[in-house]
Amino acid sequence: MAQRIDVKDLNIYYGDFLAVEGVSMTIDPKSVTAFIGPSGCGKSTFLRTLNRMHEVIPGARVDGSVELEGVDLYGDDVDPVAVRRTVGMVFQRPNPFPTMSIRDNVLAGVKLNNKRISKSDADELVESSLRGANLWNEVKDRLEKPGSGLSGGQQQRLCIARAIAVKPQVVLMDEPCSALDPISTLAIEDLIQELKKDYTIVIVTHNMQQAARVSDRTAFFNIAGTGKPGRLIEMNDTATIFSSPAEKATEDYVSGRFG
Amino acid sequence: MTTTDSPPDAKPGRLKPPARRRNSGDTERGFSRVFRWITTGSGAFLLLVLAAVAVFLIARGLPALTASPDELSGKGGLPTGMNSLWDLVGPLVFGTLLAATMALLLATPVAIGIALFISHYAPRRAASVIGYVIDLLAAIPSVVFGLWGGRTLAPIISDVWVWIAGVLDFLPFWTVNVTNTGRSLATASVVLAVMVLPIITAVSREVFLQTPTLHEEAALALGATRWEMIRTAVLPFGRSGVISAAMLGLGRALGETMAVLMILSPGILYSFQIFDSGQQQTIAAFIASRFAEASGLAVNVLIATGLALFVITMVVNMGARAIVARRKEFSGAN
């Protein structure tokens, strides 16, 4: 249940504006890949092209290719809806559906994917997904309560449970801890280590310590100036990026000299 | 005042005025205070007007409520053949609720559809044009709707009613009567539906547009199609707003006078024969049709029916509030 991603010469446009230019990278299965870089460098934009979520914005388009186990996500006969079922996503701010109970939140994706699911299967899936997100023990007695009543960190883990309930191959995380306190952040980071046994994880983070703690490989993005496209500067094993990066810009960034 | 002309020992004194202001609970000055009175006054004025209407309805309706049956039927207060006020008010309330409910049932789904189209499907330019047209629809005077409904729509739509009546003919327990003039409650309800459509659409559109992007993206990222995204994120979020919108529409449908007056061929019966003429009447249209010639106790009777309409509207609104409040926990407001 984990697949590799190959990105080749990807350019991302919003209308005529080139937002990200010439990204090529390989993301290994069952590993954690972190994207770091200053604000506005296109790392979140790039992350969203990995499950075609950037298409939500009118005028957004790409050229180049993103292949999941050799299948181009941007092929003519590929449905973006199907892509997003395979490549799940967790957002910057926890976003459980406020009108749904905790249980219904976990099942939201499964029910969408138009499967009729028996009650016992549903119960099983809710439990396994919540266990997978390290949330089961905290919420097992209040599954029918609204998800919005949980703490921020619990809500974020609920969102992770919701994402893994549809059994994706890849889980994308867009700064999943930036709205959370340190304790909740630690809980999510521990969870990421668990999840990488089963999934390919890609995480965008502003927090370099977090990238160093959780990721196996790190990609550094940078931008030459306002209005210029973001670029992938360097990608390598996390230890190498943080100890002996090849590029001067990477070294300046990870040592805190800018950004 | 003492603070300005005693410089050396001014320090404690200078601190005093703000302390005094805080003690009196008043940190406002100048226009800020005026504005508070303007807003408070506006709120109070609204309550005053409402109270004045209620007092008028009760005071002038009371003679009809307390009059003996003999007086009511004797002095021409009631239409011939009726013995008590409820013989009149009952069917009128029934007719009013039936017409308004049918209008709402017809209008709400269409309004939600239009609102969703504008907020989530239409290209931006088309959306603003449609929104403008909908707002224009709201600006048409009801007498124009009445003319259109009575002169143009009724003769055309009567064919539809005849057809529906034919289809419903198999029902063993209900013989469907149908008029060829089209001047039936069904036609009136269709026109009422068109009239309440703009308000329901406009409010629903605003609510749908306010769906948090976060929730829409949450649904899309789970692999939702656009319709599934609307079903999981937009509609639940907008639910209470749509109910409020429908209640605004219901308020208008309950009170609408001219259109009903000009379309419906009235009768004062408890009747579900919505395709037939001479069956039902609504309160507002009844009052308008009788008021010019009424005098004495007959006026009190009309005002008593108006009181009934007032009460219905309040009950409907309170009911809507209760529905909205019931699922507050899940509303996303917390």
Side-chain angles (χ1 to χ4, degrees), chain B residues 267-311:
Chain B
I268 303 176
L269 301 170
Y270 291 105
S271 167
F272 281 105
Q273 296 287 359
I274 55 172
F275 303 122
D276 204 359
S277 60
Q279 302 292 313
Q280 307 91 346
Q281 172 69 305
T282 71
I283 294 176
F286 180 77
I287 296 174
S289 66
R290 298 291 178 105
F291 206 82
E293 296 129 46
S295 64
L297 196 57
V299 175
N300 299 117
V301 168
L302 290 179
I303 292 174
T305 60
L307 182 62
L309 182 59
F310 187 75
V311 172

Side-chain angles (χ1 to χ4, degrees), chain A residues 5 25 27-28 31-37 43-44 46-48 50 88-92 156 160 170-178 180 185 188-193 195-196 199-221 235 238:
Chain A
I5 303 173
M25 68 164 65
I27 295 168
D28 297 325
S31 72
V32 179
T33 303
F35 296 168
I36 60 171
K43 55 195 187 306
S44 287
F46 175 66
L47 185 80
R48 284 170 161 252
L50 299 183
M89 188 157 196
V90 176
F91 294 85
Q92 189 168 355
Q156 194 61 298
I160 293 173
V170 180
V171 179
L172 308 177
M173 298 187 177
D174 189 356
E175 300 182 36
C177 303
S178 65
L180 305 182
T185 299
I188 302 280
E189 287 181 5
D190 288 345
L191 176 56
I192 290 171
Q193 295 305 317
L195 290 174
K196 82 170 187 184
Y199 306 96
T200 305
I201 309 276
V202 185
I203 176 171
V204 167
T205 177
H206 263 127
N207 180 331
M208 278 177 280
Q209 286 77 21
Q210 181 169 66
R213 282 193 298 265
V214 301
S215 70
D216 303 302
R217 287 172 67 78
T218 297
F220 172 64
F221 288 77
M235 182 175 185
T238 298

Side-chain angles (χ1 to χ4, degrees), chain B residues 8-79:
Chain B
D9 55 349
K11 243 192 170 179
R14 198 170 273 158
L15 287 172
K16 249 185 181 167
R20 204 172 58 216
R21 263 213 299 279
R22 206 173 297 128
N23 285 344
S24 65
D26 181 9
T27 55
E28 294 174 319
R29 270 170 296 172
F31 185 70
S32 180
R33 187 184 308 197
V34 175
F35 192 72
R36 163 191 277 280
W37 283 109
I38 291 175
T39 54
T40 313
S42 308
F45 180 70
L46 179 75
L47 286 178
L48 204 70
V49 170
L50 195 68
V53 171
V55 166
F56 161 78
L57 286 174
I58 292 168
R60 299 292 303 276
L62 209 57
L65 293 171
T66 53
S68 69
D70 290 344
E71 283 179 305
L72 281 172
S73 46
K75 290 184 184 173
L78 292 177

Side-chain angles (χ1 to χ4, degrees), chain A residues 48 53 56 81 84-85 87-89 91 93 95-101 108-109 112-113 144-146 148 162-163 166, chain B residues 124 213-226 228-229 231-233 236-237 327 329-334:
Chain A
R48 284 170 161 252
M53 274 300 286
V56 171
V81 168
R84 293 173 198 149
R85 285 173 190 178
V87 184
M89 188 157 196
F91 294 85
R93 292 201 22 224
N95 56 355
F97 297 117
T99 52
M100 291 184 191
S101 66
L112 278 183
N113 300 357
E144 300 305 325
K145 294 273 188 235
S148 50
R162 180 176 67 187
V166 297
Chain B
R124 198 166 297 171
T213 314
L214 271 177
H215 298 149
E216 294 183 0
E217 290 191 337
L220 289 173
L222 286 171
T225 61
R226 193 175 296 213
E228 288 166 337
M229 182 269 281
R231 209 186 54 196
T232 32
F237 177 83
R327 278 177 59 89
E329 201 184 12
F330 285 88
S331 73
N334 42 8

Side-chain angles (χ1 to χ4, degrees), chain A residues 101-177:
Chain A
S101 66
I102 292 171
R103 177 189 152 88
D104 287 343
N105 258 293
V106 177
L107 293 174
V110 185
K111 284 184 175 164
L112 278 183
N113 300 357
N114 63 49
K115 270 178 271 171
R116 285 250 146 248
I117 183 165
S118 73
K119 184 163 185 313
S120 59
D121 287 354
D123 289 340
E124 216 167 278
L125 182 65
V126 168
E127 178 168 350
S128 66
S129 303
L130 287 171
R131 278 191 192 284
N134 284 341
L135 191 60
W136 174 251
N137 288 328
E138 291 158 65
V139 301
K140 64 183 173 196
D141 300 321
R142 45 172 169 159
L143 293 175
E144 300 305 325
K145 294 273 188 235
S148 50
L150 299 173
S151 77
Q154 289 172 326
Q155 287 189 22
Q156 194 61 298
R157 278 178 282 150
L158 177 57
C159 293
I160 293 173
R162 180 176 67 187
I164 61 179
V166 297
K167 312 234 182 300
Q169 309 286 336
V170 180
V171 179
L172 308 177
M173 298 187 177
D174 189 356
E175 300 182 36
C177 303

